[in-house]
Amino acid sequence: MNPSVRNEVGGAVHGTVVQAGHIGTLTVEQAVVPAILPDSPPPRLLPAPTRHFTDRHAELDRLTALLDGADDDPAPRVVVLTGTGGVGKSATALHFAARLRDRYDGGQLHADLHGDATATATAPSTVLVRFLRALGVAPQYVPADEQEQIDWYRTLTADRRLLTVLDNAHSVAQVLPLLPTGPGSLTLVTSRRRLAGLGGAAGAHHLTLPPLGPADAALLLTRLAGRTTGPTTAADTGSGVEAVARRCGGLPLALCMAGERLAVRTHLTWQQLEQDMASAAAHPSDGPDSPDGPRHDPVSAAADTSYEDLGPDAARLYRLGGLRPWAGLTAPAAAALAEVPEERAAALLEELASVHLLEEHAPGRYRHHDLLRAHAERRALRTDGHARSAAAVGRLLRHHLAAAAAADARVMPGRWHLGPAYDRLPDDPRTADEATDWQLAERENLVEAVRAADEYGLDDLTWQLCEALWSLFFRQGFHQDWISTHRLGVRAAARCPDTPEAEGRMHAQLGFALLGLGRHDEAEEAFAAAAEADRRCGHRRGEATAIESLGLVRLAQGRYEQAADRFRVARDLAEDPRARALLQHHLGRALSGQGRHDEAAATLERAGELMAALPVPDPYNEARVLTSLGEAALAAGDPGRAAGILAEAARRMAVERVPVQEAAIAALRARAAATPEERVRFLTEAIERYERLGSPAAAALRAERDRIGGGPVAGGDAGAE
């Protein structure tokens, strides 16, 4: 049974984010030593290189010479590939990486940093969460604070020889936290900017990628087209290929679109293609009267000619998909956007990818190159107009909301949900793990959906999307995204008078994000704002939840008297028996923290009675109350009584099968042990359990066991030392 579902009052969910102050569970959880899951394989995050790759021999030779000449230098190497948009920086980096990967037994990491603009650039913290997980850190133990993430990343990469590709970087500040520290590691960075500061900060070497020369450009064209001759004579072919190559400016992005157009339209000649591109350059699709002025660049000219070949449905999907910087379009999303059946949408996506107007960057996931997205957006505003374009974005946002709500309800079915999206949920055959995988795959799209809803003034969709992201952020972290989206959600909810309870909900969820980063003062402000918003609209359940959350903040800070006051107020507001039982439990913990041991024991015993009397049994929280009661007995200086209570808590928690709580109880039983041998036995059990979870707590407990002269016991964690 999942504790983050079970430990709920009035709809708020309290898991590791807020229970960091729980004396028994989190004394060891606060350890800062990175730990990884047992038998974690080296990461393999590199995408496959492009099939048609031409030239770059000089750059590859320079890079190889640089690496071969660094055998005596233990410093990690950083190489920055710069060049204009569409010149093939990403393809070149992946080609280099594929050629060199056998040199790096520590694994390969890859991230698209979306650095085309400041607004789309990925925060280092977001990438670090992914990288730490790939390196074997269990999701629940990835730090929320960015500096802690950086520290863990540097520690975990210090003894690994890693190959890392950081694609499409925006700034030096974005790149520096993501550089591995292992001797001999190599990081390839691509950017349109020179990132000159990386030279001094990381000793980076810079390689500028020029456009392809005439011969290599022609070779790439003929490879993509699958022919060197066409319906024209062979004598005309050479000059035709060279003319098309010149029109493309040697830019691989333009060359790929031109070559694929010939491959699809077998009757088209090189000369006709060159004439089409000349016409497109002379009369650009967005024209001199476009807000951005005329477009004479080779990529736009090549895109125009490929676009003109599309059928109406494919052209419409191409245009509408470029209205926002989506991380990827899937068939269901494309179907909503273009108002076609899903099977038809899948065929249209494949059609667009076949002519290089979209890229299939992962199986079933398609995206625009940023230059082509700008081209598609201009086409959409010119062809569809603002109203129809906005309607298309709204359709996709509603699709994302419905899909996110379905996943959220599957991942955390026990929580109270707010919003009409949860009133019409379809039957979902997925497991909770499968729904979580979907959330992780769609995270960037869902965050972008919140931004888009806010920018389009769709306040009801803005806060509802935030609500549907709760289980993703609560379980997986990504605190920077959590905070940025929910700040928008707070403002949007305040503008929705028809759903007054939404404002308090958004403030409370923002409070949990801030609390996870240790920003206690800001979290308190958010929870206080939630309580006030709920009080204004008469939403007692929300008000009780917000006040309880304030109490939990103060409990985590060791402000036990203030925590107890908040729990009493929330208990008086709470209307259902289970909520009152949980608040009685919290109050007992706060009293124990004050040293009021007799009162704490009586309060916790009463909490246990209330739990046992619930009409729907809650054995997990009954075991949690026993754990707190045993911990309170330890605080009162009565290890004998604690040992008996904790033994019963361990028995009940074993039935519930919640590993993190079983480990915490074992650690507490070590404190209550009557003999050194018994203490070592319980410490060993806790160490084994925490190691299986990938918890950093194992290191602190192992150090404690070493101090008392213990080691692995028979049947214990042999080989873990």
Side-chain angles (χ1 to χ4, degrees), residues 299-373:
V299 171
S300 292
D304 280 341
T305 58
S306 294
Y307 174 84
E308 295 299 335
D309 291 341
L310 298 173
D313 286 348
R316 184 166 179 256
L317 177 57
Y318 170 74
R319 295 192 306 269
L320 299 180
L323 288 168
R324 300 294 303 183
W326 304 112
L329 284 174
T330 61
L337 187 64
E339 298 179 289
V340 298
E342 190 173 320
E343 186 175 343
R344 174 66 174 153
L348 294 175
L349 289 168
E350 181 55 36
E351 178 183 345
L352 292 169
S354 71
V355 293
H356 276 269
L357 287 173
L358 288 182
E359 171 198 4
E360 188 177 15
H361 63 99
R365 304 184 69 81
Y366 300 80
R367 65 184 176 194
H368 289 80
H369 186 284
D370 67 285
L371 296 180
L372 295 181
R373 193 189 77 77

Side-chain angles (χ1 to χ4, degrees), residues 55-56 59 82-84 87-88 207-213 249-252:
D55 194 27
R56 306 306 186 195
E59 289 81 5
T82 58
T84 189
V87 81
L207 297 179
T208 300
L209 293 185
L212 294 177
L251 296 178

Side-chain angles (χ1 to χ4, degrees), residues 531-571:
E532 176 57 30
D534 286 318
R535 187 178 301 115
R536 285 198 309 268
C537 70
H539 186 216
R540 287 175 62 92
R541 183 178 192 174
E543 185 183 355
T545 295
I547 293 172
E548 177 208 19
S549 302
L550 279 168
L552 287 166
V553 174
R554 291 165 184 173
L555 188 66
Q557 294 174 304
R559 295 158 63 187
Y560 299 115
E561 186 173 350
Q562 294 178 35
D565 289 342
R566 295 296 85 199
F567 294 142
R568 290 188 184 98
V569 173
R571 185 182 58 186

Side-chain angles (χ1 to χ4, degrees), residues 495-583:
R495 296 190 292 263
C496 292
D498 293 340
T499 50
E501 65 272 26
E503 183 180 357
R505 182 76 155 182
M506 290 296 99
H507 276 297
Q509 292 185 1
L510 176 61
F512 284 109
L514 295 164
L515 187 58
L517 290 174
R519 291 156 63 173
H520 292 128
D521 291 345
E522 293 176 77
E524 282 199 52
E525 290 177 11
F527 290 133
E532 176 57 30
D534 286 318
R535 187 178 301 115
R536 285 198 309 268
C537 70
H539 186 216
R540 287 175 62 92
R541 183 178 192 174
E543 185 183 355
T545 295
I547 293 172
E548 177 208 19
S549 302
L550 279 168
L552 287 166
V553 174
R554 291 165 184 173
L555 188 66
Q557 294 174 304
R559 295 158 63 187
Y560 299 115
E561 186 173 350
Q562 294 178 35
D565 289 342
R566 295 296 85 199
F567 294 142
R568 290 188 184 98
V569 173
R571 185 182 58 186
D572 292 341
L573 285 167
E575 294 176 339
D576 79 77
R578 184 170 177 276
R580 288 195 292 270
L582 286 168
L583 284 159

Side-chain angles (χ1 to χ4, degrees), residues 114-459:
H114 301 289
D116 312 310
T118 303
T120 61
T122 304
S125 176
T126 300
V127 180
L128 287 166
V129 170
R130 285 186 58 241
F131 281 3
L132 289 172
R133 290 168 60 120
L135 290 166
V137 178
Q140 66 267 35
Y141 297 117
V142 173
D145 178 72
E146 184 173 295
Q147 187 56 56
E148 285 187 60
Q149 293 167 355
I150 294 169
D151 294 343
W152 278 41
Y153 180 64
R154 289 172 177 168
T155 300
L156 290 175
T157 60
D159 296 320
R160 294 176 183 251
R161 187 177 170 90
L162 280 167
L163 173 59
T164 303
V165 177
L166 302 176
D167 196 17
N168 202 7
H170 180 71
S171 65
V172 174
Q174 186 188 32
V175 170
L176 282 176
L178 307 177
L179 298 179
T181 57
S185 291
L186 171 65
T187 302
L188 299 174
V189 183
T190 74
S191 180
R192 291 179 199 170
R193 299 165 177 81
R194 282 198 52 80
L195 305 182
L198 279 179
H205 297 262
H206 288 75
L207 297 179
T208 300
L209 293 185
L212 294 177
D216 286 305
L219 177 60
L220 179 57
L221 277 172
T222 56
R223 284 178 174 173
L224 288 161
R227 53 185 160 115
T228 55
T229 61
T232 56
T233 66
D236 294 329
T237 300
S239 60
V241 174
E242 292 166 3
V244 172
R246 284 194 297 273
R247 286 287 175 195
C248 293
L251 296 178
L253 180 59
L255 292 162
C256 286
M257 285 187 284
E260 292 287 3
R261 187 171 185 235
L262 277 165
V264 172
R265 298 186 63 188
T266 55
H267 66 281
L268 189 66
T269 69
W270 292 104
Q271 288 75 14
Q272 289 168 333
L273 175 59
E274 192 276 333
Q275 290 167 10
D276 288 349
M277 294 182 69
S279 176
H283 307 286
S285 61
D286 41 3
D289 57 345
S290 136
D292 296 325
R295 301 283 166 181
H296 300 292
D297 63 276
V299 171
S300 292
D304 280 341
T305 58
S306 294
Y307 174 84
E308 295 299 335
D309 291 341
L310 298 173
D313 286 348
R316 184 166 179 256
L317 177 57
Y318 170 74
R319 295 192 306 269
L320 299 180
L323 288 168
R324 300 294 303 183
W326 304 112
L329 284 174
T330 61
L337 187 64
E339 298 179 289
V340 298
E342 190 173 320
E343 186 175 343
R344 174 66 174 153
L348 294 175
L349 289 168
E350 181 55 36
E351 178 183 345
L352 292 169
S354 71
V355 293
H356 276 269
L357 287 173
L358 288 182
E359 171 198 4
E360 188 177 15
H361 63 99
R365 304 184 69 81
Y366 300 80
R367 65 184 176 194
H368 289 80
H369 186 284
D370 67 285
L371 296 180
L372 295 181
R373 193 189 77 77
H375 175 267
E377 184 179 23
R378 294 193 299 270
R379 280 276 191 173
L381 295 177
R382 189 174 181 84
T383 303
D384 303 287
H386 288 278
R388 282 185 292 177
S389 295
V393 172
R395 285 193 301 274
L396 186 48
L397 295 180
R398 286 187 288 275
H399 161 79
H400 282 314
L401 172 59
D408 178 57
R410 197 72 189 89
V411 173
M412 282 182 131
R415 81 178 185 96
W416 170 60
H417 303 95
L418 180 64
Y422 292 93
D423 296 337
R424 47 184 182 271
L425 292 173
D427 291 335
D428 193 340
R430 294 176 296 183
T431 65
D433 286 344
E434 289 169 339
T436 297
D437 289 342
W438 180 90
Q439 288 178 320
L440 291 170
E442 288 291 324
R443 177 186 56 80
E444 291 177 285
N445 280 332
L446 297 174
V447 170
E448 173 57 29
V450 176
R451 295 194 194 107
D454 176 71
E455 289 180 25
Y456 278 78
L458 301 172
D459 292 332

